[in-house]
Amino acid sequence: MAAEDSNQNTQKLKRCGVFTSMETSNMCQPVIFDPDFFVERLKHEHPQIFTDLVLSHVTRLIDLPGDEFAQLTGDSEPRVPSSTGFLRSLNFLKRKEKGAIFGAPLTEEGIAQIYQLIEYLSKNLHMEGLFRVPGHSLRQAALREMLNAGAEIDLETGDFHPNDAASLLKAYLGELPEPLLMHRHYHVHLKIGELTLFDEKGDKSKTPDKERQVEAYQLLFMLLPPVNRSLLKLLLDLLYHTARNQHVNKMSAINLATMFAPQIIWPKNVMASELQENIEKLNNRIAFLIRHSQKLFKAPPYIKEYAHMYFTRFKPLHSKDDLTLVTGTKEPPAVPQSTFIRSPYARKISGTSSTKSTDTGTYTESALQELYQQVNNMPNSAKKKKLIRQFEKQPLVTTPSADPRSPFSRKHWRSRSLGGIIKKKVLGSQVSIGRENGKVQRPTATCSDDTDSGGVVLQVRKLPI
């Protein structure tokens, strides 16, 4: 029986689009071409990196003091307006009678039940005064009991009125233990309303910067828990289409915001008198969310790009077969191992160094060979001998960025000196040729200055040992 109920709730959630995970996102498209796929994957597989990335852009748009930032991240308790002890105790007595859905923390099962109300209301947007005119108390009580029991209700039979469903939806939101938009996001919502355009002199004007506000909400909603984000999307979609029918139902975006702001953004157990001048700001914020709801649940382009790059461009290929498949050549070029940027906060520190360090393996080897060749090409002198001795005495310095598979990396602390390794690299091929002929030959070099070219001309002759 429990399995059947779980399956029914799952089917409801799929119908209402609650599941936003990568398994069910845009199933009609190949998942690899869905830019949101990598965003969801980054969020699920590397939540800390994802959170740091989003927070870094939130603070880029909004000036958050240390205390407010700590509230946003959950490092400190939210400081929001609070009510008197009497009102707090009164609401506690009400919550003691909470059911499985109403008054309980937000869950996927609760959303599946409440979606029945949302789906029914979406078919009755023509009702005048929808969400403003209260429903019948007895019908609401019966409907509440059925929803708490987990029943699947046929609201099309005519036993209930759209106003009953609308009143019950507001009641459900108002009885959540925490507002749908969360206490710790309260101050950020107020700050987003302060984002305005700049005039020609670079001073802030009174004209709202709608693009930056939409961007800030996109980022903020990505920090919401999945259940809050899912229900918020369903609710704002409903209110958006309700406002589009305001010529019939007489409910504009600001009217709907006035009805829902106390339910979804006001701190819990707070009266209007305690919010003072913030009431109008909060109402305007909800009206803005309703008007722009179709844009707010998309990841900003730079978040999509970062997530895509994280899983594709910086992912090392582990075998020659992989490299051949990507490049389409018989002999694939060497691809240095890369280092992921662990956090966007460290991008300035590790972003440049990590990308440069990936090329140092082959580059260092060729540079050292060239340097030794230039020293060896110098005219015979005491200075040349001194430099050669320095090469031979200089121990190999290993760095964290060096490729461990590089021929110049130290396998053991007692390995040969740098000069010996370079000699083997530069001269080894010629010595091996002599050994194949049965006689080991040592190449010697005589140098003469070339005043025309400004360089050194190397003359090599082989002498038998």
Side-chain angles (χ1 to χ4, degrees):
M1 185 64 181
E4 293 180 0
D5 293 341
S6 177
N7 187 44
Q8 289 179 358
N9 287 331
T10 301
Q11 295 301 322
K12 293 176 187 177
L13 289 168
K14 287 183 177 180
R15 289 202 305 270
C16 64
V18 167
F19 287 145
T20 57
S21 63
M22 56 186 176
E23 291 82 5
T24 59
S25 176
N26 292 339
M27 295 296 290
C28 59
Q29 301 180 8
V31 72
I32 197 65
F33 296 112
D34 180 11
D36 290 326
F37 166 78
F38 294 102
V39 177
E40 291 298 322
R41 183 180 173 188
L42 182 65
K43 183 176 182 179
H44 286 82
E45 295 184 10
H46 306 282
Q48 188 58 52
I49 295 177
F50 176 83
T51 302
D52 289 347
L53 174 66
V54 175
L55 286 173
S56 67
H57 287 286
V58 169
T59 54
R60 173 178 58 83
L61 293 170
I62 306 171
D63 182 21
L64 290 175
D67 185 45
E68 292 182 4
F69 181 78
Q71 294 178 47
L72 175 62
T73 58
D75 293 334
S76 66
E77 290 295 323
R79 296 182 181 179
V80 294
S82 57
S83 63
T84 61
F86 172 76
L87 185 60
R88 216 181 275 121
S89 61
L90 180 62
N91 280 274
F92 173 76
L93 292 175
K94 290 182 178 179
R95 287 199 300 270
K96 285 182 65 176
E97 301 176 0
K98 67 181 181 182
I101 303 300
F102 287 82
L106 190 60
T107 60
E108 290 183 352
E109 291 74 13
I111 297 176
Q113 285 297 98
I114 293 301
Y115 178 69
Q116 297 181 88
L117 302 179
I118 295 175
E119 187 177 33
Y120 175 60
L121 290 169
S122 65
K123 301 175 183 177
N124 293 274
L125 300 179
H126 61 280
M127 294 296 301
E128 184 173 347
L130 189 65
F131 298 110
R132 185 179 68 240
V133 178
H136 193 278
S137 59
L138 293 179
R139 291 197 301 263
Q140 288 183 60
L143 187 55
R144 175 193 287 257
E145 185 176 350
M146 296 170 69
L147 291 171
N148 269 330
E152 188 167 355
I153 310 168
D154 185 5
L155 295 171
E156 302 292 342
T157 58
D159 295 336
F160 301 98
H161 193 274
N163 289 336
D164 302 331
S167 298
L168 209 55
L169 176 60
K170 289 194 298 180
Y172 171 76
L173 295 169
E175 294 178 21
L176 288 173
E178 185 178 12
L180 185 61
L181 293 177
M182 303 189 67
H183 281 139
R184 68 187 193 183
H185 293 183
Y186 176 79
H187 292 289
V188 181
H189 284 281
L190 295 177
K191 289 290 182 70
I192 292 177
E194 299 173 1
L195 294 176
T196 58
L197 294 172
F198 294 90
D199 57 22
E200 297 178 354
K201 297 180 180 180
D203 299 325
K204 295 184 68 174
S205 66
K206 295 184 179 180
T207 306
D209 191 342
K210 295 181 180 180
E211 291 186 4
R212 288 170 63 205
Q213 290 183 7
V214 167
E215 181 185 354
Y217 277 122
Q218 287 176 336
L219 295 167
L220 186 63
F221 288 172
M222 295 173 76
L223 297 176
L224 286 172
V227 286
N228 292 60
R229 181 181 168 90
S230 297
L231 181 56
L232 180 64
K233 186 178 188 308
L234 293 172
L235 177 64
L236 291 181
D237 282 344
L238 174 65
L239 300 182
Y240 171 79
H241 291 289
T242 303
R244 291 192 65 182
N245 287 272
Q246 60 180 304
H247 60 285
V248 179
N249 56 40
K250 311 302 181 185
M251 295 298 293
S252 63
I254 191 62
N255 290 338
L256 292 169
T258 304
M259 295 290 103
F260 279 89
Q263 316 299 331
I264 65 177
I265 197 173
W266 282 21
K268 284 297 176 182
N269 309 329
V270 174
M271 300 179 67
S273 59
E274 294 166 323
L275 291 177
Q276 300 175 357
E277 74 278 2
N278 286 336
I279 290 181
E280 184 177 357
K281 294 180 181 179
L282 296 174
N283 290 346
N284 289 335
R285 291 299 86 216
I286 301 303
F288 183 90
L289 297 183
I290 294 172
R291 295 189 185 103
H292 299 86
S293 63
Q294 306 307 300
K295 305 176 185 178
L296 303 181
F297 295 90
K298 301 175 182 178
Y302 49 83
I303 298 292
K304 296 180 182 180
E305 181 181 0
Y306 179 94
H308 182 268
M309 297 279 282
Y310 188 93
F311 289 106
T312 55
R313 180 173 177 178
F314 294 117
K315 186 173 183 179
L317 301 175
H318 298 288
S319 68
K320 283 189 175 181
D321 293 336
D322 293 333
L323 293 171
T324 305
L325 182 63
V326 173
T327 61
T329 59
K330 293 183 179 180
E331 294 295 332
V335 177
Q337 289 184 339
S338 62
T339 304
F340 285 139
I341 299 175
R342 299 300 300 173
S343 169
Y345 293 131
R347 189 180 307 177
K348 293 183 179 179
I349 301 174
S350 63
T352 55
S353 61
S354 62
T355 55
K356 290 181 180 178
S357 65
T358 58
D359 299 329
T360 55
T362 57
Y363 176 77
T364 304
E365 180 180 343
S366 60
L368 290 173
Q369 290 180 8
E370 182 180 354
L371 178 61
Y372 184 82
Q373 188 72 33
Q374 290 178 0
V375 173
N376 195 46
N377 289 345
M378 292 173 60
N380 290 328
S381 63
K383 183 177 181 180
K384 175 181 177 180
K385 293 179 181 180
K386 181 178 180 180
L387 291 174
I388 292 293
R389 285 196 300 269
Q390 288 179 350
F391 267 107
E392 293 176 348
K393 293 179 180 180
Q394 180 66 33
L396 179 61
V397 179
T398 58
T399 61
S401 61
D403 190 342
R405 296 169 296 179
S406 172
F408 282 92
S409 64
R410 182 185 293 275
K411 293 184 179 179
H412 194 275
W413 288 108
R414 295 180 180 178
S415 62
R416 292 181 296 277
S417 66
L418 179 60
I421 295 175
I422 296 176
K423 279 185 177 181
K424 183 178 179 181
K425 279 286 178 182
V426 177
L427 309 177
S429 60
Q430 297 175 357
V431 174
S432 61
I433 293 174
R435 285 176 178 170
E436 291 177 359
N437 296 331
K439 184 183 294 184
V440 179
Q441 295 179 339
R442 177 175 299 165
T444 62
T446 60
C447 302
S448 62
D449 293 335
D450 187 355
T451 56
D452 295 333
S453 62
V456 178
V457 177
L458 174 67
Q459 297 176 352
V460 179
R461 56 193 178 93
K462 300 178 180 178
L463 299 175
I465 300 177

